[in-house]
Amino acid sequence: MFISGFTIIRNAVINDYPVVEAIRSILPVVDEMVVSVGDSDDDTEGLIRSIDSPKIRIVHSVWDPALKTNGTVLAVETDKAFRQISPAADWAFYIQADEVVHEQYHAAIRAAAEQHLPDKRVEGLLFNYTHFYGTFDYVGDSRRWYAREVRIIRNDADIRSYKDAQGFRRANGDKLRVKPANASVYHYGWVKNPQQMLTKMKNLGRFWDGDKSPDEHPLAAADVFNFDDYDSLELFRGTHPAVMQPRVARQNWQVQIDVSKKRFDKPKYRLLYWVEKLTGKRFFEFRNFRLL
């Protein structure tokens, strides 16, 4: 069995992406790691080269400035990187620049890939998600945060990145048939100091806002990012991946959040939240996959 890892990255230094940690977190699982480095305004390529692994193969890409709505450019770049993986690969493991896999799941991921390799009905492997917010101490526990998504796919040219690279579907729009990877992805995209978070949001806004000017960005007049925009959070009681420990130790800001306060804007969301807490099931959730 051969697994190719792949990811896309641009302006990693400016936006303080934990892309080094993301890549290192799946290196023990994959047989090669394709990193597509976009045209950057910083030394993103040097950052990737600092990982110094023989598994890593850097490719280059120029992001299309015309694709500035709804995050479309992220899906296009993901597809371009996917096409760069080895033809010998059975599976392709996609990791985003702010996602990290805990080492406790490495054996389970390889085992799931091995188990389902002969069954051609299985087109991908499904991962659970833990979304951190504000600091490394808080995680989202409401329906605002997607609970599961596909991150390992068959090496099949008919599979495409979906929307803003949230997951994958077939070229005709069909959802992939998947089995559980028996593992979780830790998403750190919302963990930065308030100034750095504001910078990242403004930079990313260019890929969603179309032809709007920077002055029209919702955060244009802000000095720092306000982390009050959440409906429900809870304290994280697990351990962070080993590759994230140095970054966690470097945290030099505080965001005080009262997790007892819930801020649901509609009664139905509050009801569904408590139903999920009581039953452990998320009813009526959007599923970007077909679970076999």
Side-chain angles (χ1 to χ4, degrees):
M1 183 180 66
F2 190 103
I3 302 178
S4 290
F6 71 108
T7 191
I8 65 171
I9 185 61
R10 181 176 183 268
N11 288 338
V13 179
I14 291 173
N15 292 310
D16 192 33
Y17 285 113
V19 64
V20 169
E21 294 90 339
I23 293 169
R24 289 179 58 204
S25 78
I26 68 168
L27 279 178
V29 177
V30 302
D31 299 285
E32 71 164 356
M33 184 72 208
V34 174
V35 182
S36 179
V37 176
D39 48 322
S40 298
D41 303 312
D42 59 22
D43 191 20
T44 292
E45 182 170 343
L47 183 67
I48 302 304
R49 292 192 182 281
S50 72
I51 302 173
D52 193 26
S53 168
K55 292 184 179 181
I56 293 177
R57 176 160 51 90
I58 295 175
V59 298
H60 299 92
S61 179
V62 176
W63 292 30
D64 187 349
L67 302 176
K68 295 188 294 185
T69 56
N70 302 319
T72 302
V73 69
L74 302 178
V76 170
E77 291 300 321
T78 297
D79 286 339
K80 287 163 65 175
F82 180 33
R83 291 194 291 270
Q84 294 279 354
I85 70 170
S86 170
D90 300 296
W91 298 105
F93 194 160
Y94 177 55
I95 192 80
Q96 294 188 351
D98 55 11
E99 298 178 340
V100 179
V101 174
H102 200 294
E103 63 275 7
Q104 67 182 326
Y105 298 118
H106 288 167
I109 294 169
R110 291 284 306 190
E114 190 81 58
Q115 176 186 352
H116 299 300
L117 181 60
D119 187 351
K120 299 303 181 182
R121 297 177 306 156
V122 182
E123 299 167 308
L125 298 180
L126 187 67
F127 286 74
N128 298 321
Y129 265 74
T130 299
H131 300 273
F132 293 86
Y133 187 82
T135 75
F136 299 102
D137 301 312
Y138 304 103
V139 294
D141 66 335
S142 71
R143 300 171 70 88
R144 175 181 291 191
W145 309 94
Y146 52 90
R148 297 179 290 178
E149 194 48 87
V150 178
R151 280 296 176 265
I152 291 183
I153 54 176
R154 291 273 182 186
N155 186 7
D156 183 337
D158 190 55
I159 295 177
R160 302 284 191 276
S161 183
Y162 181 65
K163 289 193 173 181
D164 61 351
Q166 176 184 335
F168 297 90
R169 292 195 183 187
R170 291 211 160 269
N172 64 3
D174 285 352
K175 297 178 180 180
L176 299 187
R177 298 169 297 181
V178 302
K179 285 284 192 177
N182 303 316
S184 291
V185 170
Y186 287 9
H187 176 217
Y188 293 99
W190 292 91
V191 180
K192 298 184 188 299
N193 72 60
Q195 182 59 57
Q196 187 67 55
M197 191 74 224
L198 180 67
T199 299
K200 174 195 170 185
M201 295 303 294
K202 287 182 176 180
N203 289 337
L204 281 179
R206 293 179 297 167
F207 302 123
W208 270 266
D209 296 337
D211 294 324
K212 291 182 181 179
S213 72
D215 291 339
E216 295 178 277
H217 192 284
L219 299 174
D223 295 321
V224 293
F225 186 82
N226 187 339
F227 284 101
D228 286 341
D229 184 22
Y230 65 88
D231 52 11
S232 179
L233 301 172
E234 65 181 7
L235 288 173
F236 177 60
R237 303 189 185 281
T239 61
H240 292 279
V243 295
M244 283 295 294
Q245 294 295 341
R247 183 176 285 263
V248 173
R250 290 196 304 269
Q251 178 181 311
N252 60 0
W253 74 95
Q254 294 295 322
V255 177
Q256 298 299 328
I257 294 175
D258 184 353
V259 296
S260 68
K261 292 183 178 180
K262 307 303 175 185
R263 305 178 176 189
F264 299 102
D265 55 2
K266 293 183 179 180
K268 70 175 182 179
Y269 295 139
R270 182 179 294 274
L271 175 61
L272 288 170
Y273 170 83
W274 288 114
V275 168
E276 182 176 344
K277 287 296 182 183
L278 290 171
T279 66
K281 297 180 180 180
R282 181 170 291 188
F283 294 99
F284 313 115
E285 72 171 331
F286 168 74
R287 293 188 177 186
N288 188 32
F289 50 83
R290 292 172 54 196
L291 189 59
L292 291 174

